[in-house]
Amino acid sequence: MSSFSHPDFGAATFAGASDARFVPAPADGVLPEDFFSTTNLPTYVRIAGEWRMPREPRMDSALVLDADGSLWIREGRRVRKGDRVAVGHKEDGSDGIYVHAQAFLGATADGEFKFMTSEVSREKPIDYSLMARILIDERDRGGYPVWVTGPALVHSRARADMTWFIKNRFVGALLAGNAVAVHDIEASIFGTTLGMTGSGEATSGGHGLHMRAINRVREAGSIERAVEQGIVTDGIMHACVTHGVPYVLCGSIRDDGPLPGVHSDSMAAQDAMKRHTVKATMAILVATALHAIATGNMLPAFVTEADGSLRELSTICVDSSEFVVSKLKDRGTHQAFGVVTNAQDFMHILRLYVERELDARRMLTPRSVAAVSAR
Amino acid sequence: MSSFSHPDFGAATFAGASDARFVPAPADGVLPEDFFSTTNLPTYVRIAGEWRMPREPRMDSALVLDADGSLWIREGRRVRKGDRVAVGHKEDGSDGIYVHAQAFLGATADGEFKFMTSEVSREKPIDYSLMARILIDERDRGGYPVWVTGPALVHSRARADMTWFIKNRFVGALLAGNAVAVHDIEASIFGTTLGMTGSGEATSGGHGLHMRAINRVREAGSIERAVEQGIVTDGIMHACVTHGVPYVLCGSIRDDGPLPGVHSDSMAAQDAMKRHTVKATMAILVATALHAIATGNMLPAFVTEADGSLRELSTICVDSSEFVVSKLKDRGTHQAFGVVTNAQDFMHILRLYVERELDARRMLTPRSVAAVSAR
Amino acid sequence: MSSFSHPDFGAATFAGASDARFVPAPADGVLPEDFFSTTNLPTYVRIAGEWRMPREPRMDSALVLDADGSLWIREGRRVRKGDRVAVGHKEDGSDGIYVHAQAFLGATADGEFKFMTSEVSREKPIDYSLMARILIDERDRGGYPVWVTGPALVHSRARADMTWFIKNRFVGALLAGNAVAVHDIEASIFGTTLGMTGSGEATSGGHGLHMRAINRVREAGSIERAVEQGIVTDGIMHACVTHGVPYVLCGSIRDDGPLPGVHSDSMAAQDAMKRHTVKATMAILVATALHAIATGNMLPAFVTEADGSLRELSTICVDSSEFVVSKLKDRGTHQAFGVVTNAQDFMHILRLYVERELDARRMLTPRSVAAVSAR
Amino acid sequence: MSSFSHPDFGAATFAGASDARFVPAPADGVLPEDFFSTTNLPTYVRIAGEWRMPREPRMDSALVLDADGSLWIREGRRVRKGDRVAVGHKEDGSDGIYVHAQAFLGATADGEFKFMTSEVSREKPIDYSLMARILIDERDRGGYPVWVTGPALVHSRARADMTWFIKNRFVGALLAGNAVAVHDIEASIFGTTLGMTGSGEATSGGHGLHMRAINRVREAGSIERAVEQGIVTDGIMHACVTHGVPYVLCGSIRDDGPLPGVHSDSMAAQDAMKRHTVKATMAILVATALHAIATGNMLPAFVTEADGSLRELSTICVDSSEFVVSKLKDRGTHQAFGVVTNAQDFMHILRLYVERELDARRMLTPRSVAAVSAR
């Protein structure tokens, strides 16, 4: 994992920099004409001669200086009339706003002739061992790995593996859509997903089973109550509820039902997601273009440690095709590391490597592990 | 295009059929335990000895018999406590509900039907000429072709072609997401899409342009007003507004902004979409998995003509990979005909063939065409 | 795995059948005008009133009756002037040739057959457990599993897993291209594949390493000698040589080098491949379109057991996209079961399941396993 | 199109450079241990103080100084014992070999945050207008555009478009596999490709038609004679024969037949291809991974004009997925411009734009066009 230094604002480059300029928003949800549009990279704003980093960094938003002097990055729709919004287009600091792009996009162009330089490819090896170590380290340091998953995870046997990760405290929060919960609960109640059995066969009358599953939970009133009442007895949602792992179910126009608890309003869903992305220290995006890109939009490319130092926010994006990862990068989530494979296989091998690494660590440091499991 | 006969309910098979059984819904948005879960195929319900077809057919919903005796297919969330909902699992008519699956999923005997049921593969020829004829016929008979498009259409030069289809009355309604409108309006104001020029190069500072486009429209108050005020002067949304073609912009968690007029609530968006899908006589789904499947969910596989006869609802699904079309079919939209190609190229060639066919028809039947253009 | 009965030639359907008609080939490598073109399905030819099955079944070839009365399926290019070649287009037996299509392409009634006919989709579960059992059964009954692999297997860490399968006698023969051997040997000598390290980074000067690897083996004279001389010390080719597992390296126009031993003539390569496909009792095709389809072309869809009974030839095709498997099926290899995943992950999990199954069997039947390992 | 300057060998960087060192090859087809492995970039070799460019540039080969003092790039397999082969690993000129990588891979890394920077994506616009202009310019200046095509081109209606390009002198040479010719000739004789009609339907008995087409041509003795005898009356191969456009049919293990004239030996096929790639001034690679990468392997990234100046060799690679183009680039063909679309649509639109551009030019410069068409 890469760490990064803050820029040296004493350097000559920053000598002529002025303070950033703030202009009041003309109306609720409307930004001043020349508002500065943010990125997901470390950003520094010069206020009264001092370079400060805004809170809740994310891309495609505005810099807002609150009345109490605190500096935020805030979505345009949440800006209120009169809020002081930073303006300017320059990212080089001269107008008081500096985007520390070098840190992450650092030139690797050495002009040498090389093979295998494409970023995302099914032909590249996948370092499960490294991913397992990062994930365990995140857990053990009290990090907050955000998992974002699509329904392919539930269709296949990866459901058991996802449940394992939840139960073993590798999941800070789960962000998903209605379908993930629907198929997971269908699997718990009927043993099928979209009417398909665990071995991939369509069942007679199976097309209605997900609707029956939804209806049962709607009858119970909430997923939590469906768990309590013994309607849902295993799986991903059950594990979240019984292990106190927070989840966000975001609505979409594809939703059947929806299940109680789904944020059918997209903006409310974004707000709910962001309550977790601002805390994220790692992101694992599996088999979902919509949710992966939505999360990428609101995720900074970096983590600010308690001591103020910066490191890259490890972002793993898993999909069957190179396309989704490339799309994620094209939309600005440059730090994403792409794994081109089947979601079921990814989950299975990652779990295997995590289990092996845990075994290895257990043998090496019996005491520290005991301490961890005693928590 | 295929036509289908209604089943012969005088046949021996239906001799022992009973009336369908209706049970009151136990609560708002909750269906009785054994509710009949609908498909997108022609469905007949036996009420007082008479076989009737419900209104607003779609899949994954319930059959509701209203107090006034009218029979509807209605989403579970819209059912109110006490509504009479059909129960039963059998689709063969014996319990009073018959799903006419044979019509669409059965023998592929006749030559025409083969076109629409051919498997999905980039190696199959694409019959643009047939699609052009179907589209013109739909327009000329007063049909209602629903277009559902993803943003790839706007990134590329297909924007001009889509605008042409709107202006030439080939679009009954346009269903899309916030992004389509955002990129289209960015193109109108700044000449870029996601900061990329028309020739595909990323521009300096371009990452913020879609946010500036959104901000301008939010300032204007609506897309309509942005058109009036000369902020948006060309493109897809401009054509919809100036030619009175209805559009629905559905929100999603990926949305920046959103633009005014976007249905950020997914259920409200579904309701808005359905106001058009119930009228659809054809569907063209281009470069969008989310919206295509959402539309497929609420689209019957058939059109009921004014005289009560049935025909297949021509559904064309265009995507760069076989996957989206297969997924659409896997989720029940069996009638979809897949075109595996680039959205830009699809739009360009389809328009070309439509123009050629129009020329050809003009030469053959000068008077009828004159009549059409005088409408 | 499915077994199939021979047709009942006493049935009324076959009452009026005549003997098959044979016509001499007009020239070397040229078939008579109306030659019967074979399929990969069980085929029966009526000669002197008796229904016989030809030897070496494969598709796209001719039926040849040799002077000694033996009946063969033979590629057109191998037919000599005057050879007696069956003519006719009918496959229903009436003209003396019966293709038993029903057996494989017919009703999907029984539970087992469904596994092998399920559609191809990344959303379907993958039954590694079943594949592991089939593979172990094949080994233990003395079957001949033919593995056909592309270079993606070597780029990634699947190389170690493939080596494991060879060493543990799960590989009857390995069919591959020059590139598989080149990258495998590059990995043994330099620790890279196409200049990329095991963790996926391009190395400086790495683009020439595969050429240096080739040059070393050319200098040694053969892969076998390179193994003897300690130039190649581990990996797939090393395991084949040291464990006496036969391999065929087929040339292509993409080849660098080529390595000594590569069949650069495509027809010689086909002949070399066929010496193994005629013995195959199972086929595993991983990450290669060219070699998978070439093998599919010459592989019967069935295995004829020693007692004359028939069973399906289990064929597993692994690729990152649905396309390759669909293409394989489109070209007649209907029996292929598709696994849509990354080759590295497939190999890793399959090995894991095989190891688990071996452990399980060892515990259950200590003696029989001891017998097996004593062989 | 980009032009490039030769390096300034008077610059300080090259002051300390020594002459390149040549060492005799130890055996036929074996290179000296430290042979210099070539790239497809402009390469300069210092011999007796003079920097010279070798003839027939391509990657993955050796630099050979012939007895007559001429300098070649030559495949290892074609080197004879005693041939003088350049050795060394450095590409910076210090050891007498300079690879002018900067010219083509020039740093574009400005570290700015941008969207849409991925190289190959279906979401990028396709500039058909530019491609049409380049193609016409190549023809009109007497260039040598090499077309490399896969069978998808023939399955679909692109066959007519390819024929048009051949007839209108846009094709310097056609490089393809046996399958392209087989399906093209099947289409001419039977109106089907792989037994599928032009509208995509499988025909009864169709699976044998490509074998019958092959048999007819084998009977005639050659494709040329099949054209003469009126067996093949239209299509791609017919146009090549009747318009004197050279073609190379390369064999592969997937081949049925093969047709007479196919180079079934891969190395002979490579030699035949190279006779055209050394003359290429443009390359268009459509719907084929195998042939595209094989051609990329032997194609320089640049064209040397008669006056010694250099320009990029325009290379267009068309495929339904991003994967093939990325793979081509990963194997060193960095200059490839990727078009992610369906082959049929690509051919159709490219032809349309070429026709439009020809019309436009005709109107602008009536005389010069008259001159051209009088040739």
Side-chain angles (χ1 to χ4, degrees):
Chain A
M1 216 171 335
S2 321
S3 305
F4 301 99
S5 336
H6 294 289
D8 174 11
F9 287 109
T13 343
F14 297 103
S18 57
D19 270 6
R21 205 157 61 85
F22 290 84
V23 162
D28 282 5
V30 180
L31 300 168
E33 182 69 16
D34 284 316
F35 71 98
F36 181 88
S37 186
T38 62
T39 74
N40 58 0
L41 300 171
T43 299
Y44 303 81
V45 184
R46 196 171 182 274
I47 298 172
E50 185 196 0
W51 290 95
R52 292 165 52 189
M53 296 187 80
R55 298 170 67 171
E56 301 197 343
R58 60 158 293 176
M59 69 171 79
D60 291 337
S61 296
L63 283 160
V64 178
L65 187 61
D66 271 1
D68 64 359
S70 60
L71 182 67
W72 299 81
I73 287 187
R74 197 169 285 157
E75 296 85 349
R77 65 183 163 86
R78 295 173 56 222
V79 169
R80 296 275 74 80
K81 179 173 180 170
D83 279 357
R84 282 178 298 165
V85 175
V87 291
H89 290 77
K90 291 191 187 161
E91 302 180 349
D92 64 358
S94 56
D95 287 353
I97 304 177
Y98 180 69
V99 178
H100 195 17
Q102 230 44 38
F104 292 87
L105 309 176
T108 51
D110 52 7
E112 194 187 351
F113 182 85
K114 278 179 185 166
F115 283 159
M116 302 307 290
T117 55
S118 77
E119 292 196 337
V120 182
S121 166
R122 67 194 74 169
E123 292 190 309
K124 298 254 170 169
I126 305 170
D127 196 340
Y128 282 102
S129 172
L130 174 60
M131 288 189 283
R133 288 197 305 275
I134 293 176
L135 190 57
I136 296 172
D137 288 348
E138 285 293 337
R139 182 187 72 169
D140 291 353
R141 70 154 68 124
Y144 200 79
V146 169
W147 292 65
V148 182
T149 68
L153 208 90
V154 193
H155 277 311
S156 62
R157 281 174 306 166
R159 182 173 174 254
D161 296 314
M162 186 69 217
T163 303
W164 184 89
F165 281 111
I166 294 167
K167 289 185 175 172
N168 286 276
R169 298 178 301 108
F170 290 105
V171 179
L174 175 67
L175 313 185
N178 181 61
V180 166
V182 168
H183 298 321
D184 175 60
I185 289 173
E186 180 189 340
S188 180
I189 300 180
F190 298 107
T192 56
T193 54
L194 270 185
M196 176 174 68
T197 67
S199 55
E201 289 159 54
T203 57
S204 161
H207 70 80
L209 293 180
H210 68 295
M211 299 311 298
R212 298 188 194 290
I214 291 168
N215 197 50
R216 296 260 182 101
V217 181
R218 288 177 75 97
E219 200 167 14
S222 70
I223 294 175
E224 284 68 18
R225 243 180 288 164
V227 169
E228 274 168 39
Q229 298 177 9
I231 294 167
V232 176
T233 57
D234 62 10
I236 294 171
M237 298 316 299
H238 180 267
C240 282
V241 169
T242 57
H243 287 71
V245 170
Y247 63 87
V248 177
L249 299 179
C250 304
S252 91
I253 53 171
R254 243 169 80 178
D255 291 352
D256 296 307
L259 287 170
V262 167
H263 296 269
S264 70
D265 184 85
S266 307
M267 296 303 120
Q270 285 188 356
D271 291 347
M273 291 168 79
K274 201 176 138 187
R275 283 193 282 279
H276 300 286
T277 57
V278 295
K279 294 193 278 179
T281 60
M282 184 179 186
I284 302 171
L285 321 169
V286 189
T288 167
L290 173 63
H291 295 258
I293 294 173
T295 303
N297 280 352
M298 57 180 74
L299 209 59
F302 60 98
V303 176
T304 311
E305 302 283 18
D307 65 358
S309 66
L310 304 180
R311 61 179 171 92
E312 193 179 58
L313 196 156
S314 300
T315 304
I316 297 167
C317 180
V318 183
D319 203 88
S320 277
S321 82
E322 285 85 358
F323 180 59
V324 169
V325 190
S326 296
K327 193 164 181 172
L328 185 65
K329 286 172 172 285
D330 269 356
R331 276 153 185 78
T333 307
H334 303 284
Q335 83 276 12
F337 173 75
V339 177
V340 180
T341 192
N342 181 293
Q344 172 182 10
D345 289 350
F346 173 81
M347 295 298 288
H348 206 70
I349 304 187
L350 183 60
R351 172 180 167 179
L352 179 75
Y353 273 81
V354 167
E355 287 179 326
R356 280 185 193 161
E357 177 74 16
L358 289 174
D359 284 349
R361 293 189 183 194
R362 204 164 286 137
M363 275 186 269
L364 285 171
T365 61
R367 236 164 316 174
S368 66
V369 169
V372 163
S373 43
R375 271 184 204 173
Chain B
M1 217 169 336
S2 318
S3 304
F4 301 98
S5 334
H6 295 289
D8 173 12
F9 288 108
T13 342
F14 296 103
S18 57
D19 270 7
R21 203 158 62 85
F22 289 85
V23 162
D28 282 6
V30 179
L31 300 167
E33 183 68 16
D34 284 316
F35 71 97
F36 181 87
S37 187
T38 62
T39 73
N40 58 1
L41 301 171
T43 299
Y44 304 79
V45 184
R46 196 172 183 274
I47 297 173
E50 183 196 2
W51 291 96
R52 293 164 53 188
M53 296 186 81
R55 299 171 67 172
E56 302 198 343
R58 60 157 295 176
M59 68 172 80
D60 291 337
S61 297
L63 283 160
V64 178
L65 186 62
D66 272 1
D68 64 358
S70 60
L71 181 67
W72 299 81
I73 287 188
R74 196 170 284 158
E75 296 86 346
R77 65 182 162 86
R78 294 172 58 220
V79 169
R80 297 276 74 82
K81 180 174 178 170
D83 279 357
R84 283 180 295 167
V85 176
V87 292
H89 291 76
K90 292 191 186 161
E91 302 181 348
D92 64 358
S94 56
D95 286 354
I97 305 176
Y98 181 69
V99 177
H100 196 16
Q102 232 40 40
F104 292 86
L105 310 177
T108 58
D110 78 292
E112 280 301 289
F113 196 50
K114 272 182 198 156
F115 166 66
M116 290 311 213
T117 56
S118 82
E119 283 171 44
V120 183
S121 165
R122 65 194 75 170
E123 292 189 311
K124 299 256 172 167
I126 306 170
D127 197 340
Y128 283 102
S129 171
L130 175 59
M131 288 189 283
R133 288 197 305 275
I134 293 177
L135 190 57
I136 295 172
D137 288 347
E138 284 294 335
R139 183 187 71 169
D140 292 353
R141 69 154 69 123
Y144 200 78
V146 170
W147 292 65
V148 182
T149 68
L153 208 89
V154 192
H155 277 310
S156 62
R157 280 173 309 168
R159 182 173 174 254
D161 296 316
M162 186 68 218
T163 303
W164 184 89
F165 282 111
I166 295 168
K167 289 185 176 173
N168 285 277
R169 299 179 299 108
F170 291 104
V171 179
L174 174 67
L175 314 185
N178 181 60
V180 166
V182 168
H183 299 321
D184 175 60
I185 290 173
E186 180 190 340
S188 179
I189 301 180
F190 298 108
T192 56
T193 53
L194 271 186
M196 176 174 70
T197 67
S199 55
E201 287 157 55
T203 57
S204 163
H207 70 81
L209 293 180
H210 67 296
M211 299 310 300
R212 298 187 194 292
I214 291 168
N215 198 49
R216 295 258 183 101
V217 180
R218 289 177 74 98
E219 202 167 13
S222 72
I223 294 174
E224 283 68 19
R225 247 183 283 163
V227 169
E228 274 169 38
Q229 297 176 10
I231 294 168
V232 176
T233 57
D234 62 11
I236 295 171
M237 298 315 300
H238 180 266
C240 283
V241 170
T242 56
H243 286 70
V245 170
Y247 62 88
V248 177
L249 299 179
C250 303
S252 91
I253 53 171
R254 243 168 81 178
D255 290 353
D256 297 306
L259 287 170
V262 167
H263 297 268
S264 69
D265 185 85
S266 307
M267 296 304 119
Q270 285 188 356
D271 292 347
M273 292 168 79
K274 201 176 138 187
R275 282 194 281 279
H276 300 285
T277 57
V278 294
K279 294 192 279 179
T281 60
M282 182 181 188
I284 302 171
L285 320 169
V286 188
T288 168
L290 173 63
H291 294 259
I293 294 174
T295 303
N297 280 351
M298 58 181 74
L299 209 59
F302 60 98
V303 177
T304 311
E305 303 282 20
D307 64 357
S309 67
L310 302 180
R311 61 178 171 95
E312 191 180 60
L313 196 156
S314 300
T315 304
I316 297 167
C317 180
V318 182
D319 202 87
S320 276
S321 83
E322 285 85 356
F323 180 60
V324 169
V325 190
S326 296
K327 193 165 180 171
L328 184 65
K329 286 171 172 285
D330 269 358
R331 276 153 186 77
T333 307
H334 304 285
Q335 83 276 13
F337 174 73
V339 178
V340 180
T341 192
N342 180 294
Q344 173 182 11
D345 289 351
F346 172 81
M347 295 297 289
H348 206 70
I349 305 187
L350 183 61
R351 172 179 167 180
L352 180 75
Y353 273 80
V354 167
E355 288 179 325
R356 280 183 193 162
E357 177 74 16
L358 289 174
D359 284 349
R361 293 190 183 193
R362 204 164 287 135
M363 275 184 271
L364 285 170
T365 61
R367 235 164 316 176
S368 66
V369 171
V372 164
S373 44
R375 270 184 205 174
Chain C
M1 218 169 336
S2 318
S3 304
F4 301 99
S5 336
H6 295 289
D8 174 12
F9 288 109
T13 343
F14 296 102
S18 56
D19 271 7
R21 204 159 60 84
F22 289 85
V23 162
D28 283 5
V30 180
L31 299 168
E33 183 67 16
D34 283 318
F35 71 97
F36 181 88
S37 187
T38 63
T39 73
N40 58 0
L41 301 171
T43 300
Y44 303 80
V45 183
R46 195 171 183 275
I47 298 172
E50 184 196 1
W51 289 96
R52 292 164 54 188
M53 294 186 83
R55 299 170 65 171
E56 301 197 344
R58 59 158 294 175
M59 69 172 78
D60 291 337
S61 296
L63 282 160
V64 178
L65 187 61
D66 271 1
D68 64 358
S70 61
L71 181 67
W72 299 81
I73 286 187
R74 197 170 284 158
E75 296 86 347
R77 64 182 164 87
R78 294 172 59 220
V79 169
R80 296 276 73 81
K81 179 174 178 169
D83 279 358
R84 284 180 296 167
V85 176
V87 292
H89 290 76
K90 292 192 186 159
E91 302 181 348
D92 64 357
S94 57
D95 287 353
I97 305 176
Y98 181 70
V99 178
H100 195 17
Q102 232 40 41
F104 291 87
L105 310 178
T108 56
D110 77 291
E112 280 302 287
F113 195 49
K114 272 182 197 156
F115 165 67
M116 290 314 211
T117 57
S118 81
E119 282 172 44
V120 183
S121 164
R122 66 194 73 169
E123 292 188 311
K124 298 256 171 166
I126 306 170
D127 197 340
Y128 283 101
S129 172
L130 175 59
M131 288 189 282
R133 288 197 305 274
I134 292 176
L135 189 57
I136 296 172
D137 289 346
E138 284 293 335
R139 183 186 72 168
D140 292 352
R141 69 154 70 124
Y144 199 80
V146 170
W147 292 65
V148 182
T149 67
L153 207 88
V154 194
H155 278 310
S156 62
R157 280 173 308 166
R159 184 174 173 252
D161 296 316
M162 186 70 217
T163 303
W164 184 89
F165 282 112
I166 295 168
K167 289 186 176 171
N168 287 276
R169 299 176 303 108
F170 290 105
V171 180
L174 174 67
L175 313 184
N178 181 61
V180 167
V182 167
H183 298 321
D184 175 60
I185 289 174
E186 181 189 340
S188 180
I189 301 180
F190 297 108
T192 56
T193 54
L194 271 186
M196 175 173 70
T197 67
S199 56
E201 288 158 53
T203 58
S204 161
H207 70 82
L209 293 180
H210 67 296
M211 299 311 298
R212 298 187 194 291
I214 291 168
N215 198 48
R216 295 259 182 102
V217 181
R218 288 176 74 98
E219 200 167 15
S222 71
I223 293 174
E224 283 68 19
R225 248 184 281 163
V227 168
E228 275 169 39
Q229 297 176 12
I231 293 167
V232 176
T233 57
D234 62 10
I236 294 171
M237 298 316 299
H238 180 268
C240 283
V241 170
T242 57
H243 286 70
V245 170
Y247 63 88
V248 177
L249 299 179
C250 304
S252 92
I253 53 171
R254 243 169 80 178
D255 291 352
D256 296 307
L259 287 170
V262 167
H263 296 269
S264 69
D265 185 84
S266 308
M267 296 304 120
Q270 285 188 355
D271 291 346
M273 292 168 80
K274 201 177 135 185
R275 282 193 283 278
H276 300 286
T277 56
V278 294
K279 295 192 279 181
T281 59
M282 182 180 188
I284 302 170
L285 320 170
V286 189
T288 168
L290 173 63
H291 295 257
I293 294 173
T295 303
N297 280 353
M298 56 180 75
L299 210 57
F302 60 97
V303 176
T304 312
E305 301 283 19
D307 65 357
S309 67
L310 302 180
R311 61 179 171 93
E312 191 179 59
L313 196 156
S314 300
T315 304
I316 297 166
C317 181
V318 182
D319 203 87
S320 277
S321 82
E322 284 85 357
F323 180 58
V324 169
V325 190
S326 297
K327 192 165 181 173
L328 185 66
K329 286 172 173 286
D330 269 358
R331 276 153 186 78
T333 307
H334 306 283
Q335 83 276 13
F337 174 73
V339 178
V340 180
T341 191
N342 180 294
Q344 172 181 10
D345 290 350
F346 172 81
M347 294 298 288
H348 206 70
I349 305 187
L350 182 61
R351 172 179 167 180
L352 180 75
Y353 273 80
V354 168
E355 287 179 327
R356 280 184 193 162
E357 177 74 16
L358 289 175
D359 284 349
R361 293 189 184 194
R362 205 165 285 136
M363 275 185 271
L364 285 171
T365 61
R367 237 165 311 175
S368 66
V369 169
V372 163
S373 43
R375 269 185 205 174
Chain D
M1 216 170 336
S2 322
S3 305
F4 301 99
S5 336
H6 295 289
D8 174 11
F9 287 108
T13 342
F14 295 103
S18 57
D19 270 9
R21 204 158 61 83
F22 289 85
V23 162
D28 282 6
V30 180
L31 299 168
E33 183 67 17
D34 283 318
F35 72 96
F36 181 88
S37 187
T38 62
T39 73
N40 58 0
L41 301 172
T43 299
Y44 303 81
V45 184
R46 197 173 183 272
I47 297 173
E50 187 196 359
W51 290 96
R52 292 164 53 188
M53 295 187 81
R55 300 171 64 173
E56 301 197 343
R58 61 158 292 177
M59 69 171 78
D60 292 336
S61 297
L63 283 160
V64 178
L65 186 61
D66 271 1
D68 65 358
S70 60
L71 182 67
W72 299 81
I73 285 186
R74 197 170 283 159
E75 296 86 349
R77 66 185 163 86
R78 294 173 58 223
V79 169
R80 297 275 74 80
K81 179 175 179 168
D83 279 358
R84 283 180 296 167
V85 176
V87 291
H89 291 76
K90 293 190 185 161
E91 302 181 348
D92 64 357
S94 56
D95 288 353
I97 305 175
Y98 181 69
V99 177
H100 195 18
Q102 230 43 38
F104 292 87
L105 310 177
T108 52
D110 54 5
E112 194 186 351
F113 182 85
K114 279 178 182 166
F115 282 158
M116 301 308 290
T117 56
S118 77
E119 292 196 334
V120 182
S121 166
R122 67 195 73 169
E123 291 189 310
K124 298 254 170 168
I126 305 171
D127 196 340
Y128 283 101
S129 171
L130 175 59
M131 288 189 283
R133 288 197 306 274
I134 292 177
L135 190 57
I136 296 172
D137 288 346
E138 285 292 335
R139 183 186 72 168
D140 292 353
R141 68 154 68 125
Y144 199 80
V146 169
W147 291 66
V148 182
T149 67
L153 208 88
V154 192
H155 277 311
S156 62
R157 281 175 308 167
R159 182 174 174 253
D161 296 315
M162 186 70 217
T163 303
W164 183 88
F165 281 112
I166 294 168
K167 290 185 175 173
N168 286 276
R169 299 177 301 107
F170 290 106
V171 179
L174 174 67
L175 313 184
N178 181 61
V180 167
V182 167
H183 298 321
D184 175 59
I185 290 173
E186 181 189 340
S188 179
I189 301 179
F190 298 108
T192 56
T193 54
L194 272 185
M196 175 174 71
T197 67
S199 56
E201 288 159 54
T203 58
S204 162
H207 69 81
L209 294 180
H210 67 296
M211 299 311 299
R212 299 187 194 289
I214 292 169
N215 198 49
R216 295 259 181 102
V217 181
R218 288 176 74 99
E219 200 166 16
S222 72
I223 294 174
E224 283 69 18
R225 245 181 286 163
V227 169
E228 275 167 39
Q229 297 176 9
I231 295 167
V232 176
T233 56
D234 61 11
I236 294 172
M237 298 316 299
H238 181 267
C240 283
V241 169
T242 56
H243 286 70
V245 170
Y247 63 87
V248 177
L249 299 179
C250 303
S252 91
I253 53 172
R254 243 169 80 178
D255 291 354
D256 296 307
L259 287 170
V262 168
H263 296 270
S264 70
D265 185 85
S266 307
M267 297 303 121
Q270 285 189 355
D271 291 346
M273 292 168 79
K274 202 176 137 187
R275 282 193 282 280
H276 300 286
T277 57
V278 295
K279 294 193 277 180
T281 59
M282 183 179 187
I284 302 170
L285 320 170
V286 189
T288 167
L290 173 63
H291 294 258
I293 294 174
T295 303
N297 280 351
M298 56 179 75
L299 209 58
F302 59 98
V303 176
T304 312
E305 302 281 20
D307 65 358
S309 67
L310 304 180
R311 60 178 172 93
E312 193 178 58
L313 196 156
S314 301
T315 303
I316 297 166
C317 181
V318 183
D319 204 86
S320 277
S321 83
E322 285 85 357
F323 179 59
V324 169
V325 190
S326 296
K327 193 165 180 172
L328 185 65
K329 286 172 172 285
D330 268 356
R331 277 152 185 78
T333 308
H334 304 284
Q335 82 276 12
F337 173 74
V339 178
V340 180
T341 191
N342 180 294
Q344 172 181 10
D345 290 349
F346 172 82
M347 294 299 288
H348 206 70
I349 305 187
L350 182 61
R351 172 180 168 179
L352 180 75
Y353 273 80
V354 167
E355 287 179 325
R356 280 183 193 163
E357 177 74 17
L358 288 175
D359 284 349
R361 293 189 184 193
R362 205 165 284 138
M363 276 186 269
L364 285 171
T365 61
R367 238 165 312 176
S368 67
V369 169
V372 163
S373 44
R375 272 184 203 173

